């Protein structure tokens, strides 16, 4: 096998209360990446999308992650990447994680799964670090493992894949710019022990809900008393989207990653579509361009489309 | 049924990283309480133990909790309580929770389980509030539900019972005084977001470990970067106990509740006894009187010994 085409899913990190530790993979949207293994060293990147991302491998997140892998790999091989990005950068849907994860997982398929998933997360983090200025894996892990993942620790890396609830996910991406680094700078450096305790109670409830497939418990636990209140000002419409979606039967939801996308869970497909309608109405009224997605949790993560 | 004799278990709250939200019930030690239902209103308490606790029901935690229940109950009944306390007050093993929970759960048996477990927790909290100055349920809930419990929220009350791991629990109670209120006052009012994130990552790992019966994960998650560092100064020998027990094969552990007791988990019974020996040596060398217990998690909570 010398050539592979893969789809790399968008991801929702944080999951409201689980700042920096939780994430899940979506079925849709996905980036498409074609990787061809070369007998000579070198990384060659072509983008066939509209986002104007750098193709120089030392500036491109896929290139940086892939280089981290190649620095570790014993034989001198190279890769030619053709990337069709569909997850818009800066959407809060793990666009940079998809770029970094796709490159290393695709290369690893061609290297006969030489590396473990954990090792791939380590390589991909080298790319992610460039995007956000901080080493983190809450989008990378669900992208590489699929489903819902917990990052218990980064040093040493400790990733816990957990059962995915059977839920629909409706996402709205209001097309405003919220940079991950800015969204991080707006956060408080210190918080009260009281709020922290409320937060870890909800994190505990959410994990218990995932393992016991207790949807009402998942809903009750999707409360963030620390991060979302600080970031709410960056995302016009957030409170209204949450309120209206809950009124129309959503299980719960909130900011996806550092925003501006907002995700909402629902148990029934018809509710997921009703919620989308609410989101569309709100951003139409606000005069903000938007995109919406109605999808489910992706238990597999990156998928192979074709190989030769 | 007019009379009942019950055993009420000691409990370990916090479970290291889960400050204020997690707890578990032990098989041993247990308080013994006899309750007799009377046709006339009134609460009459006799203690047959060494602790000199007040028998006036308005000053006694069992009396206060029971009165909260009777204030709600429709018919005018009374109770005569004979209490043999074996869980020493101030041990960090849920002595006051056992007093409050035992009274209301015992009375509820005699009232043909008129109240739900959640309601019993509410009544018992009235007693607990007197002991610690704060309304909390992290010892009450495992005492009443058995096993491991999560308090996701107090208002409204939301208790999540969860699977108990098959672990031995070795406890040492160094006989020094650590008042719950003092142990709370020593805590920082504010913490860094970074530490809070580390803490909820470990809480998440611990819950995942309980649900998946993943003992190594439970062990790795039993890390407290906030509460235990602040309280360590109150408990001589803590660091040495933890270090020596880990060297001898413990899974993990830490302060029980607000201390001074220390608990350690182990997978094998022989390890649980080896650990006890370590604890005994350490406190003998420190010249501090102590008690130890080698036991397991109690999945039932309060048990009926006899009834007539």
């Amino acid at each position: 096998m010398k050539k592979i085409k893969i789809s790399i899913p968008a991801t929702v990190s944080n999951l409201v209360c689980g700042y920096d530790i939780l994430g899940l993979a979506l079925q849709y949207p996905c980036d498409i990446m074609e990787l061809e293994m070369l007998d000579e060293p070198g990384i060659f990147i072509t983008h066939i999308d509209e986002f104007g991302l750098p193709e120089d491998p030392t500036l491109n997140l896929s290139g940086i992650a892939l280089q981290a892998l190649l620095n570790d790999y014993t034989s001198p091989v190279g890769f030619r990447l053709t990337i069709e990005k569909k997850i818009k950068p800066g959407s809060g849907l793990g666009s940079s994680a998809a770029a970094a994860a796709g490159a290393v997982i695709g290369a690893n398929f061609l290297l006969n799964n030489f590396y473990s998933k954990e090792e791939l997360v380590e390589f991909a983090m080298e790319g992610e670090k460039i995007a956000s200025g901080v080493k983190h894996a809450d989008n990378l892990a669900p992208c590489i493992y699929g489903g819902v993942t917990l990052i218990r620790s980064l040093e040493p890396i400790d990733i816990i894949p957990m059962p995915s609830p059977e839920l629909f996910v409706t996402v709205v991406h209001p097309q405003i710019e919220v940079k991950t680094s800015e969204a991080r700078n707006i956060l408080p450096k210190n918080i009260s022990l009281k709020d922290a305790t409320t937060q870890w109670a909800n994190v505990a409830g959410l994990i218990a809900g995932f393992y016991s497939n207790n949807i009402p418990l998942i809903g009750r636990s999707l409360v963030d008393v620390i991060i979302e209140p600080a970031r709410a000002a960056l995302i016009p419409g957030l409170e209204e989207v949450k309120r209206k979606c809950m009124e129309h039967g959503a299980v719960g939801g909130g900011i996806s990653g550092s925003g501006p996308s907002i995700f909402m869970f629902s148990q029934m497909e018809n509710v997921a579509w009703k919620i989308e309608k609410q989101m569309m109405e709100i951003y139409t009224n606000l005069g903000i361009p938007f995109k919406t997605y109605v999808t489910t949790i992706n238990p597999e993560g990156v998928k192979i489309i074709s190989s030769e």
Side-chain angles (χ1 to χ4, degrees), chain A:
Chain A
M1 192 165 67
K2 295 288 275 181
K3 212 169 166 182
I4 195 168
K5 193 172 180 178
I6 56 177
S7 72
I8 311 142
T11 46
V12 172
S13 67
N14 295 353
L15 304 185
V16 187
C17 53
Y19 172 68
D20 246 17
I21 66 164
L22 290 175
L24 61 77
L26 297 175
Q27 289 289 6
Y28 177 77
C30 288
D31 285 351
I32 305 296
M33 197 181 285
E34 214 173 71
L35 295 99
E36 185 184 353
M37 190 154 65
L38 310 172
D39 299 328
E40 296 287 305
I43 299 173
F44 307 93
I45 297 173
T46 311
H47 266 282
I48 51 166
D49 50 49
E50 62 196 297
F51 302 119
L53 295 166
E55 294 186 331
D56 177 342
T58 65
L59 301 174
N60 178 293
L61 300 184
S62 303
I64 295 164
L66 191 51
Q67 190 59 56
L69 180 150
L70 287 175
N71 290 347
D72 185 87
Y73 194 66
T74 39
S75 310
V77 292
F79 289 94
R80 188 185 312 280
L81 274 58
T82 311
I83 306 170
E84 186 182 1
K85 230 183 181 343
K86 296 188 175 185
I87 312 164
K88 192 171 174 178
S91 57
L93 292 171
S95 181
S96 57
V104 296
I105 206 165
N108 197 45
F109 280 134
L110 296 174
L111 298 172
N112 297 314
N113 295 313
F114 184 82
Y115 291 108
S116 70
K117 287 183 173 180
E118 260 182 28
E119 289 169 312
L120 296 181
V121 170
E122 295 274 13
F123 296 136
M125 271 200 288
E126 295 299 315
E128 265 282 74
K129 205 169 62 180
I130 306 296
S132 73
V134 194
K135 211 172 157 182
H136 67 118
D138 41 345
N139 289 98
L140 287 171
C143 197
I144 291 175
Y145 286 73
V148 182
T149 55
L150 160 67
I151 317 292
R152 194 198 59 83
S153 155
L154 272 183
E155 310 212 5
I157 190 102
D158 190 9
I159 295 166
I160 322 294
M162 54 185 69
S164 300
E166 282 179 21
L167 288 171
F168 292 88
V169 191
T170 310
V171 176
V172 61
H173 172 205
Q175 314 253 313
I176 53 171
E177 196 182 359
V178 174
K179 281 207 175 133
T180 303
S181 52
E182 280 170 27
R184 285 197 169 250
N185 287 339
I186 207 171
L187 298 182
K189 293 268 176 298
N190 292 294
I191 60 176
S192 71
L193 178 57
K194 193 171 163 288
D195 282 349
T197 305
T198 302
Q199 195 87 350
W200 63 64
N202 283 316
V203 167
L206 189 56
I207 305 291
F210 288 148
Y211 274 94
S212 57
N213 199 32
N214 182 336
I215 307 295
L217 174 58
I218 291 173
R220 294 199 299 279
S221 303
L222 287 169
V223 176
D224 178 355
V225 297
I226 296 165
I227 311 300
E228 202 162 282
R231 286 181 173 166
L234 300 176
I235 306 170
L238 172 66
E239 284 316 312
E240 197 182 352
V241 164
K242 287 182 67 178
R243 183 169 45 77
K244 283 273 173 71
C245 291
M246 293 307 285
E247 282 169 18
H248 283 77
V251 169
I255 302 173
S256 174
S258 54
S261 289
I262 304 165
F263 78 101
M264 298 298 297
F265 284 140
S266 49
Q267 261 189 292
M268 311 287 286
E269 189 171 355
N270 69 325
V271 174
W273 291 106
K274 262 196 232 169
I275 285 171
E276 186 202 29
K277 213 176 138 225
Q278 292 300 315
M279 293 169 165
M280 291 166 113
E281 269 181 33
I282 290 166
Y283 285 105
T284 302
N285 288 341
L286 286 171
I288 296 172
F290 59 88
K291 267 203 160 173
T292 55
Y293 306 95
V294 177
T295 184
T296 54
I297 299 172
N298 170 349
E300 298 160 89
V302 171
K303 289 177 208 176
I304 300 174
I305 298 170
S306 63
S307 62
E308 60 191 74

